[in-house]
Amino acid sequence: MPDSALSGGDIVLVTIVLAVSLAALAFAAYLVRAVMAADQGTPTMREIAQAVQEGAAAYLRRQFKTLGVFAVIVFLLLLVLPVHDGGWGTRIGRALFFLVGALFSALVGFIGMTLATRGNVRVAAAARTGGYRPAFRIAYRTGGVCGMITVGLGLFGAALALLLFDETAPVVLEGFGFGGALLAMFMRVGGGIFTKAADVGADLVGKVEAGIPEDDPRNAATIADNVGDNVGDCAGMAADLFESYAVTLVAALILGQVFFGAVGMVFPLVVAAIGVIASVVGILASNPSKNDASGLAPINRGFFTSAVVSLVLVAAASFTVLPDVADVPDSVVSPQVLGFVAVLVGIVLAAAIQQLTGYFTETSRKPVQDVGRSSLTGPATVILSGISLGLESAVYAALLIGGAVYGAFLIGGGAALYAVALAGCGLLTTAGVIVSMDTFGPVSDNAQGIAEMSGDIDEEGARVLTDLDAVGNTTKAITKGIAIATAVLAATALFGSYNEQVRAAVDGADLGEAFSLVDPSNVVGAVLGASVVFFFSGLAISAVSRAAGRVVFEVREQFRTHPGIMDRTERPDYGAVVDICTKDSLRELATPGLLAVLAPVAVGFGLGVGPLAAYLVGAIAAGTLMAVFLANSGGAWDNAKKMVEDGAYGGKGSEAHAATVIGDTVGDPFKDTAGPAINPLIKVMNLVALLIAPAVVGLSVGEDQNTAVRIAIAVVAALVIVGAVVVSKRRSVVVGGASADAPTSLTTSVP
Amino acid sequence: MPDSALSGGDIVLVTIVLAVSLAALAFAAYLVRAVMAADQGTPTMREIAQAVQEGAAAYLRRQFKTLGVFAVIVFLLLLVLPVHDGGWGTRIGRALFFLVGALFSALVGFIGMTLATRGNVRVAAAARTGGYRPAFRIAYRTGGVCGMITVGLGLFGAALALLLFDETAPVVLEGFGFGGALLAMFMRVGGGIFTKAADVGADLVGKVEAGIPEDDPRNAATIADNVGDNVGDCAGMAADLFESYAVTLVAALILGQVFFGAVGMVFPLVVAAIGVIASVVGILASNPSKNDASGLAPINRGFFTSAVVSLVLVAAASFTVLPDVADVPDSVVSPQVLGFVAVLVGIVLAAAIQQLTGYFTETSRKPVQDVGRSSLTGPATVILSGISLGLESAVYAALLIGGAVYGAFLIGGGAALYAVALAGCGLLTTAGVIVSMDTFGPVSDNAQGIAEMSGDIDEEGARVLTDLDAVGNTTKAITKGIAIATAVLAATALFGSYNEQVRAAVDGADLGEAFSLVDPSNVVGAVLGASVVFFFSGLAISAVSRAAGRVVFEVREQFRTHPGIMDRTERPDYGAVVDICTKDSLRELATPGLLAVLAPVAVGFGLGVGPLAAYLVGAIAAGTLMAVFLANSGGAWDNAKKMVEDGAYGGKGSEAHAATVIGDTVGDPFKDTAGPAINPLIKVMNLVALLIAPAVVGLSVGEDQNTAVRIAIAVVAALVIVGAVVVSKRRSVVVGGASADAPTSLTTSVP
């Protein structure tokens, strides 16, 4: 291993990076002031926004309380887990940075969401009085806060760890990445269940049964729906992208140290710092202008400006920071070229994914139009065409991502894995802009909801908000594609780190065929890895169905017991639905969460390091495809519905519309619960594998070998998973009991 | 490698096996006579049956004509492909046995289907006059013919090859397995598209739009629907199980030779011969009796009798045929124990899969009841609950299959792969019974259709046929589960053979990290393997949608231009719909077929033997889960619909019923087109890999190394796939054009 202690020059560079990260936070503060200074709209709007703010904040507070306990347990476990080649200082550092990672992840989600719940009403107000451009600007800047905090905190944590721990920083950063990923996964799953339980529940009762429009204030689930947009699409997504960012940096640092020593750790941080600068430029460039062909034009301008700035600066940095010769075996190019090309691959991948996702989910393109047309033959063909669209488009995305990994592999030679990690960093140089684009979605969605519910909006203003919402739908789909690409690159790199970890732990001993693809036990490992992705998706989807069912029964009950709601003489009890969603999503997130953390523990301790490696490969392969499949099917259904609502095939109220509404409802948990949660899932599992690798090796070979303890740990992990699954199945019995009375209430509530 | 020339004793044993295979065919002939002797029912029934027979035979003839050309091309390619360690004799033998395999596969499908189209009307007639027990017996015996031909021809081919080619038989049998698998895959895909295009098309126009019941003779798609049951569920499934049987034997022979020499090849044949005897006993034991608790009881009796007979005989054979000591490294048990336990694992797996699939798809069990209940909140929740049921149940099936592989691995030691292959043989000792059970499904389904259409059936007879159909639905779901389990075991074993092939081809040279899980190019390979499964599924589903769309427009057009059809004064043109389905399914099968054959070629020649191995692992992992997911979701929706039709939640005509009909329609291509085709897909890809391995190695290393040729082959393969995909996308444009007029015809056809 090359010398990996930081030189004086390195320390200066990392200090500059630290300063850049603080500058990012300062820019975020500047954007906050700009957003908060805007007009808050009419009293009714404020009142509604207030209810959403309170609901969202209450949910996050409860979630953090629950997760806090869990974080403390993991903290203690991390202290127990052995660290290869490091003493108690490293071990404590890793555990503490786990808490920091978790805290930052939570913070990004919390701040992003808090601002989103303030930005939304200001966007509505601006649409009412100022028109499209001011409304767009506020929505995008609200997103910008989220984006800058994401990159700022991620970079800050990584740079700080490197300054404090020097050579042992990679191990400490495993904790940081794990904290971020774990929290993000729980926020993704919990928020995803919340938002879709409310949304699906509201749609089923409102649009389908009671025949009232979306966002109608008579529907008791509307406030919960708006709260959900914030806790799911906003807080969850922000935490998720934060962890993508942090984990990618962590993987790059670990592998950089292996292949190039200190400079290998410094370079990814420099790339990330360049990303901060590029993001600021990109956010400022995203101003709508009169000449824009579509609502997406300023968004694209911001993204591509940011990509170009990154590219130029990274080229300069590669040839300054990296050495021009190094003894990497089989490498066809110099480290300088390697660094630059790898980052370039990542940037190009981001742009390609953006185009691809756009093609498959935009209303104006053939795929969505085909789905829309299939509504003529009813809901079944809408579902089938959406599913085949999703399956096929997942393959194109996988080919792009696979192509990027292979490209990095080809130029990387012996340092192929580092090249893959750098491609991940390249993908994330535009992270600030990507998060801004993404948060733009729920903010616009909420703005429309608030305006609609308040009734204080004229036709012109409503049109502005509809346009913003449509742009937001596309940006949301695009960022999902990019998020899963970062997940695959980061996971592949982490997976390489896992290999290094195992090799270090066996201390040069021959691993033999342990990592061979053709070992039947490794084939089993791969099947198990793919299984977890399927199981996790199934659990998330059924959790939404269950929770949505409870929302439906609550809203029906309110309509039944308070007939005044329908003729607007009574006010529905919004809080009751928010409460159901909060409780259910927190309860439902336990099973998938435990599965993600404990399945690799069971496989690793039970079957060994080889099957665990195969498990990760199976999870990456199946996870990539499943995530894109779910995201794109869902996105296409959503936009097919919008297409019909815009007048195609009979427009609103037609049979075709009813068919696309069914498609959209099926797509909701696909695209906003199960799909995006696969992204942190893959990384959590890779990080768990990385963390337990020394312990598994220790119990399997050498003097501390202890098969009984090893198997016992695996069995306990497996039993906890089984127990959690059994408990969640019990819950479905409870709902079944409640819904046994349903035929009556169904009949009474159908108009 | 142990000595692998057959001894005199071996030759005697294999000759006995050959005689047993002929006895199986004789028993099939006996069953044919028994079936054909039964009464053929009323003239109307005969007339309808005649139309179905003609449609089905015409389809198969055209299909075989198309596939014949393809088979000749592959035959020539096989002559060109190098064989490791064998001369022209082996090469020609392999190519010829490819044709034999393809012919047998086609023959099994053709005979099975021909008899099914004769058995169906006899079942209808027996239900009319004789009641439940005679009708059951004819349906089951019709299936029995299929079952005995499957095992008879499979065993005959394998035994003959061993007698003729002795030591080089495994290489020759690669051709046999490939021929069987390739034909089966095309028959599965083509038949699957035909049957579901007709079924979905008939349902969409008939039940959903025109409000006429299933199998109503006014619907022009009904005959096509019945033809489809035969060409898809019957011919396709029979060919598929034949290739499962053949490929499993092939894998066992290849690996048996590697680990134990001649006896390692003889033992799997002995196990299979035992299976023939067990199947005869099982089929004879499947007679319904007065004391049966349910329609499934005699079916289960047949299966478990067969399993017990196999077990006892295999125990005896293991301890007689296999040596009690051998120099297999790391093996914890003697070859005798290894042989017996491995086969036992397979038999137990078959029983476990049967129970599991039953649990997830039977109407009386909780999962289907939950899906049924979700119909109260509309179609969207039906779809969501079916999808999450499918995803979760796939994981349980994968755990069972993975557990079996792991169990075989644990006892197998150094010969782990042989143990896996033997477990596959164990799974298939009950193959005769399994095929009988499966064919029982479409025969009963058709009998009901014919009776319904003829109108010559009373209430009592109709009830008998409905009961038989329900039993058939469950047996069909169970055999799908078992089929995918055989696919995974066979593929894992074949995959091991691939490894042996590569190692033999590099002639002892160090493969280094080529097969390492942690190589990024192998991660890419795994992603590509999983991608093909997703792409293949997407293509199959969209092919059904497209073809069903054309059926819908044709039937609507007939209703519109011939108003007399509705009041029964005119006869619809059934032939036109059969014709559409025939043409479309033959056209649509090209793209998925080429993908399956050429994708491994592109990956192997393009990226190398390591990524190709990873590709196979990715395909096995994703394929297992996807196949079970699609089969079980579809089965559950089908039975949820039956549950509502039996009176739950408002019964026929209720909102709940409409919701479950939508679920069933979505499930149709899941369970009968995409899902079951994944089974041969996995094996075709493994066999292609096995066949091209020496060529890939030859072009990659050693003196004949030629990167340009290697890359050129990969590029051509990739371009053909891209071309096929582009052409199939063009087709969807044509349909789009046709359906542009749809709003009008939709409006006119809705009653």
Side-chain angles (χ1 to χ4, degrees):
Chain A
M1 198 183 283
D3 182 29
S4 58
L6 295 183
S7 69
D10 292 335
I11 292 173
V12 172
L13 258 180
V14 179
T15 312
I16 294 174
V17 169
L18 200 72
V20 171
S21 74
L22 293 173
L25 297 175
F27 184 63
Y30 158 78
L31 291 175
V32 169
R33 282 194 47 187
V35 171
M36 295 302 282
D39 173 39
Q40 286 191 65
T42 67
T44 323
M45 283 182 174
R46 287 179 202 212
E47 192 192 327
I48 297 165
Q50 182 83 25
V52 174
Q53 282 161 24
E54 282 167 11
Y59 171 75
L60 273 201
R61 265 198 307 276
R62 278 175 67 166
Q63 189 178 42
F64 290 149
K65 216 182 275 174
T66 314
L67 295 182
V69 179
F70 192 74
V72 171
I73 296 173
V74 175
F75 172 78
L76 296 174
L77 285 175
L78 281 178
L79 287 178
V80 176
L81 265 187
V83 172
H84 174 71
D85 210 20
W88 271 100
T90 318
R91 222 188 255 206
I92 293 171
R94 183 175 71 176
L96 283 176
F97 262 78
F98 163 78
L99 290 182
V100 173
L103 185 73
F104 280 9
S105 192
L107 212 59
V108 169
F110 187 73
I111 297 177
M113 195 201 72
T114 305
L115 202 77
T117 54
R118 268 95 193 147
N120 53 18
V121 64
R122 290 170 170 85
V123 172
R128 186 169 166 270
T129 53
Y132 187 77
R133 286 169 61 193
F136 181 102
R137 199 174 300 126
I138 295 174
Y140 194 84
R141 297 206 157 178
T142 306
V145 175
C146 226
M148 293 319 294
I149 292 177
T150 299
V151 297
L153 286 180
L155 193 53
F156 179 77
L160 187 68
L162 189 53
L163 283 180
L164 291 179
F165 290 88
D166 202 335
E167 283 170 287
T168 53
V171 179
V172 171
L173 282 172
E174 286 170 18
F176 183 65
F178 185 51
L182 195 63
L183 239 278
M185 189 187 67
F186 280 115
M187 289 179 73
R188 257 301 189 197
V189 174
I193 294 171
F194 188 118
T195 179
K196 291 302 129 175
D199 190 1
V200 171
D203 283 2
L204 286 176
V205 183
K207 281 197 256 185
V208 182
E209 286 182 15
I212 54 178
E214 206 171 336
D215 296 327
D216 189 298
R218 287 171 294 177
N219 190 331
T222 40
I223 291 286
D225 186 9
N226 280 300
V227 170
D229 287 346
N230 289 295
V231 301
D233 297 352
C234 200
M237 185 65 171
D240 183 2
L241 279 169
F242 167 78
E243 69 84 22
S244 292
Y245 192 83
V247 169
T248 305
L249 277 182
V250 170
L253 260 73
I254 296 175
L255 292 163
Q257 187 185 39
V258 170
F259 293 109
F260 296 104
V263 70
M265 296 194 282
V266 174
F267 182 65
L269 290 181
V270 172
V271 172
I274 289 172
V276 167
I277 298 164
S279 294
V280 172
V281 176
I283 289 172
L284 295 175
S286 296
N287 258 324
S289 93
K290 274 178 296 226
N291 306 322
D292 287 338
S294 79
L296 227 59
I299 303 260
N300 285 335
R301 191 158 53 237
F303 176 79
F304 285 104
T305 307
S306 163
V308 169
V309 169
S310 294
L311 207 57
V312 172
L313 293 179
V314 167
S318 301
F319 292 95
T320 337
V321 177
L322 288 173
D324 60 354
V325 281
D327 48 351
V328 176
D330 306 324
S331 187
V332 288
V333 294
S334 75
Q336 294 182 338
V337 175
L338 184 153
F340 172 63
V341 176
V343 174
L344 172 68
V345 164
I347 295 175
V348 170
L349 177 62
I353 292 273
Q354 199 201 18
Q355 295 299 311
L356 181 80
T357 313
Y359 176 73
F360 277 102
T361 57
E362 273 174 39
T363 319
S364 57
R365 298 307 191 86
K366 185 171 170 298
V368 170
Q369 296 198 324
D370 280 351
V371 174
R373 189 184 303 117
S374 70
S375 64
L376 289 172
T377 38
T381 42
V382 170
I383 302 292
L384 287 173
S385 58
I387 284 176
S388 53
L389 174 149
L391 290 171
E392 291 182 29
S393 67
V395 173
Y396 301 125
L399 286 177
L400 282 181
I401 298 170
V405 173
Y406 198 73
F409 161 77
L410 282 183
I411 59 142
L417 286 162
Y418 185 51
V420 173
L422 286 182
C425 293
L427 196 62
L428 285 168
T429 48
T430 47
V433 175
I434 291 168
V435 178
S436 313
M437 277 163 64
D438 187 68
T439 314
F440 182 92
V443 170
S444 310
D445 193 356
N446 255 260
Q448 198 186 14
I450 291 170
E452 199 81 40
M453 284 183 74
S454 71
D456 295 338
I457 192 106
D458 59 3
E459 206 174 305
E460 169 63 19
R463 205 190 45 72
V464 165
L465 289 170
T466 304
D467 287 353
L468 286 180
D469 188 31
V471 172
N473 265 334
T474 304
T475 61
K476 265 158 57 182
I478 290 171
T479 48
K480 270 170 206 151
I482 292 181
I484 189 65
T486 69
V488 177
L489 292 181
T492 308
L494 278 178
F495 182 49
S497 320
Y498 167 76
N499 180 34
E500 296 300 331
Q501 188 83 276
V502 171
R503 280 174 203 273
V506 299
D507 218 9
D510 187 14
L511 279 166
E513 297 281 293
F515 280 158
S516 170
L517 278 161
V518 291
D519 188 308
S521 69
N522 289 345
V523 176
V524 173
V527 171
L528 292 176
S531 293
V532 166
V533 171
F534 275 67
F535 204 55
F536 184 86
S537 306
L539 287 174
I541 292 171
S542 64
V544 170
S545 304
R546 275 198 292 275
R550 271 182 283 251
V551 170
V552 168
F553 290 115
E554 169 66 27
V555 177
R556 272 182 189 159
E557 201 56 23
Q558 290 197 17
F559 276 134
R560 199 172 63 81
T561 54
H562 301 274
I565 294 176
M566 214 47 181
D567 52 27
R568 295 175 199 268
T569 57
E570 273 185 281
R571 203 184 133 108
D573 181 1
Y574 301 119
V577 181
V578 173
D579 214 48
I580 288 174
C581 292
T582 303
K583 276 194 198 132
D584 273 27
S585 51
L586 289 177
R587 199 164 49 187
E588 296 280 5
L589 64 72
T591 311
L594 288 173
L595 176 72
V597 176
L598 294 177
V601 173
V603 172
F605 284 96
L607 310 185
V609 287
L612 181 55
Y615 171 92
L616 297 176
V617 173
I620 292 173
T624 310
L625 289 153
M626 188 64 98
V628 183
F629 158 54
L630 294 171
N632 286 1
S633 289
W637 280 320
D638 194 348
N639 276 341
K641 186 192 70 174
K642 286 214 184 303
M643 197 184 132
V644 174
E645 286 177 350
D646 287 350
Y649 307 117
K652 278 193 182 182
S654 64
E655 295 265 336
H657 184 229
T660 53
V661 168
I662 290 167
D664 181 40
T665 308
V666 171
D668 273 338
F670 274 39
K671 72 180 199 302
D672 291 320
T673 312
I678 291 174
N679 175 11
L681 167 74
I682 294 175
K683 278 170 290 181
V684 165
M685 296 201 300
N686 268 285
L687 284 160
V688 170
L690 197 56
L691 290 166
I692 64 172
V696 172
V697 172
L699 289 172
S700 308
V701 294
E703 52 200 36
D704 297 332
Q705 189 173 349
N706 192 332
T707 309
V709 171
R710 188 167 63 80
I711 300 296
I713 293 174
V715 169
V716 169
L719 285 180
V720 173
I721 296 173
V722 172
V725 171
V726 169
V727 169
S728 78
K729 294 291 151 193
R730 284 268 169 74
R731 274 204 294 280
S732 86
V733 179
V734 177
V735 188
S739 65
D741 317 325
T744 354
S745 56
L746 182 81
T747 325
T748 54
S749 70
V750 168
Chain B
M1 198 183 283
D3 182 29
S4 57
L6 295 184
S7 70
D10 292 336
I11 292 175
V12 172
L13 259 182
V14 178
T15 312
I16 295 174
V17 169
L18 199 71
V20 171
S21 73
L22 294 173
L25 297 176
F27 184 63
Y30 158 78
L31 292 175
V32 169
R33 281 192 49 187
V35 171
M36 293 303 282
D39 172 41
Q40 286 191 62
T42 67
T44 325
M45 283 180 174
R46 287 178 202 213
E47 191 193 327
I48 296 165
Q50 182 84 25
V52 174
Q53 282 161 24
E54 283 166 12
Y59 171 75
L60 273 202
R61 265 198 307 277
R62 279 174 68 164
Q63 189 177 43
F64 291 149
K65 216 181 279 174
T66 315
L67 295 182
V69 179
F70 193 74
V72 170
I73 296 173
V74 175
F75 171 77
L76 296 174
L77 285 175
L78 281 178
L79 286 178
V80 176
L81 265 187
V83 172
H84 174 72
D85 211 17
W88 271 98
T90 318
R91 224 189 253 205
I92 294 170
R94 183 175 71 176
L96 285 175
F97 262 79
F98 162 77
L99 290 183
V100 173
L103 184 73
F104 280 9
S105 191
L107 213 58
V108 169
F110 186 73
I111 298 178
M113 193 201 73
T114 305
L115 203 78
T117 55
R118 267 92 192 150
N120 52 19
V121 65
R122 290 169 170 83
V123 172
R128 188 169 162 269
T129 54
Y132 186 77
R133 285 168 61 193
F136 181 102
R137 201 173 299 127
I138 296 174
Y140 194 84
R141 297 204 159 178
T142 306
V145 176
C146 225
M148 293 320 293
I149 293 178
T150 299
V151 297
L153 286 179
L155 193 54
F156 178 77
L160 187 69
L162 189 53
L163 283 179
L164 292 179
F165 290 88
D166 203 335
E167 283 170 288
T168 52
V171 179
V172 171
L173 282 172
E174 286 171 18
F176 183 64
F178 185 51
L182 195 63
L183 240 279
M185 188 187 68
F186 280 115
M187 289 179 72
R188 257 301 187 201
V189 175
I193 295 171
F194 188 118
T195 179
K196 291 303 129 175
D199 190 2
V200 171
D203 284 2
L204 286 176
V205 183
K207 282 196 256 185
V208 183
E209 286 183 15
I212 54 179
E214 206 170 337
D215 296 326
D216 189 297
R218 287 170 293 177
N219 190 330
T222 41
I223 292 285
D225 187 9
N226 280 298
V227 170
D229 287 345
N230 290 294
V231 302
D233 296 353
C234 200
M237 185 64 172
D240 184 4
L241 279 169
F242 167 78
E243 68 84 23
S244 293
Y245 191 82
V247 169
T248 305
L249 278 182
V250 170
L253 261 72
I254 296 176
L255 293 163
Q257 187 185 39
V258 171
F259 293 110
F260 296 106
V263 70
M265 295 194 282
V266 174
F267 183 64
L269 290 182
V270 172
V271 172
I274 289 171
V276 168
I277 299 164
S279 294
V280 172
V281 178
I283 289 173
L284 294 175
S286 294
N287 259 323
S289 95
K290 276 178 295 231
N291 305 321
D292 288 340
S294 79
L296 227 58
I299 303 260
N300 285 335
R301 191 158 55 235
F303 176 80
F304 285 105
T305 307
S306 164
V308 170
V309 170
S310 295
L311 208 56
V312 173
L313 293 179
V314 166
S318 302
F319 292 96
T320 336
V321 176
L322 287 173
D324 61 353
V325 280
D327 49 351
V328 175
D330 305 328
S331 186
V332 288
V333 295
S334 76
Q336 295 183 337
V337 176
L338 184 153
F340 172 64
V341 177
V343 175
L344 173 68
V345 164
I347 295 175
V348 171
L349 176 61
I353 293 273
Q354 198 200 18
Q355 295 300 311
L356 181 79
T357 313
Y359 176 72
F360 277 102
T361 57
E362 272 174 42
T363 319
S364 57
R365 299 304 193 84
K366 185 172 171 296
V368 171
Q369 297 200 324
D370 282 350
V371 174
R373 189 184 302 117
S374 70
S375 65
L376 290 172
T377 36
T381 43
V382 170
I383 302 291
L384 287 173
S385 58
I387 284 177
S388 53
L389 174 151
L391 290 171
E392 290 182 29
S393 68
V395 173
Y396 299 126
L399 287 177
L400 282 181
I401 299 170
V405 174
Y406 199 74
F409 162 78
L410 282 183
I411 60 140
L417 286 163
Y418 186 51
V420 172
L422 285 182
C425 293
L427 194 62
L428 285 169
T429 51
T430 47
V433 176
I434 291 168
V435 178
S436 314
M437 277 163 62
D438 186 68
T439 314
F440 183 91
V443 170
S444 311
D445 192 356
N446 254 259
Q448 198 186 15
I450 291 171
E452 198 82 42
M453 283 183 75
S454 72
D456 296 337
I457 192 106
D458 60 2
E459 207 174 302
E460 170 62 18
R463 204 190 46 73
V464 165
L465 289 169
T466 304
D467 287 353
L468 287 180
D469 188 33
V471 172
N473 265 335
T474 303
T475 60
K476 266 158 57 180
I478 290 171
T479 48
K480 271 170 207 152
I482 293 181
I484 189 65
T486 71
V488 177
L489 292 182
T492 308
L494 280 178
F495 181 50
S497 320
Y498 167 77
N499 180 35
E500 296 299 332
Q501 188 83 279
V502 171
R503 280 174 205 274
V506 299
D507 219 11
D510 186 15
L511 278 165
E513 297 281 294
F515 279 158
S516 170
L517 279 160
V518 292
D519 187 307
S521 71
N522 290 344
V523 176
V524 173
V527 171
L528 292 176
S531 293
V532 166
V533 171
F534 276 66
F535 204 55
F536 185 86
S537 307
L539 287 175
I541 292 171
S542 63
V544 171
S545 306
R546 275 198 294 272
R550 269 181 286 249
V551 170
V552 168
F553 290 115
E554 169 66 27
V555 177
R556 272 183 192 159
E557 200 58 21
Q558 290 198 18
F559 276 134
R560 200 170 63 80
T561 53
H562 301 272
I565 294 176
M566 216 43 182
D567 50 27
R568 297 177 200 266
T569 56
E570 272 183 282
R571 204 184 132 107
D573 181 1
Y574 300 119
V577 181
V578 173
D579 213 49
I580 288 174
C581 292
T582 304
K583 276 194 200 134
D584 274 27
S585 51
L586 289 177
R587 200 165 49 190
E588 296 280 7
L589 64 72
T591 311
L594 288 173
L595 177 71
V597 176
L598 294 177
V601 173
V603 173
F605 285 95
L607 310 184
V609 287
L612 180 55
Y615 171 91
L616 296 176
V617 172
I620 293 173
T624 311
L625 290 153
M626 186 64 95
V628 184
F629 157 54
L630 294 172
N632 286 0
S633 289
W637 279 320
D638 195 348
N639 276 341
K641 185 192 70 173
K642 287 215 184 301
M643 195 183 132
V644 174
E645 287 177 349
D646 286 349
Y649 307 118
K652 277 193 181 183
S654 64
E655 295 264 337
H657 184 229
T660 54
V661 168
I662 291 168
D664 181 40
T665 308
V666 171
D668 272 337
F670 274 39
K671 72 179 198 301
D672 291 320
T673 312
I678 291 174
N679 175 11
L681 167 75
I682 293 175
K683 278 169 291 180
V684 165
M685 296 202 300
N686 268 284
L687 284 160
V688 169
L690 196 56
L691 291 166
I692 65 172
V696 171
V697 171
L699 289 171
S700 308
V701 293
E703 50 201 38
D704 297 331
Q705 187 174 349
N706 192 333
T707 309
V709 171
R710 189 169 61 80
I711 300 296
I713 294 174
V715 170
V716 169
L719 285 179
V720 173
I721 297 173
V722 171
V725 171
V726 169
V727 169
S728 78
K729 294 289 150 197
R730 283 267 168 74
R731 274 204 292 281
S732 86
V733 179
V734 177
V735 189
S739 66
D741 317 325
T744 355
S745 56
L746 182 80
T747 324
T748 54
S749 71
V750 166

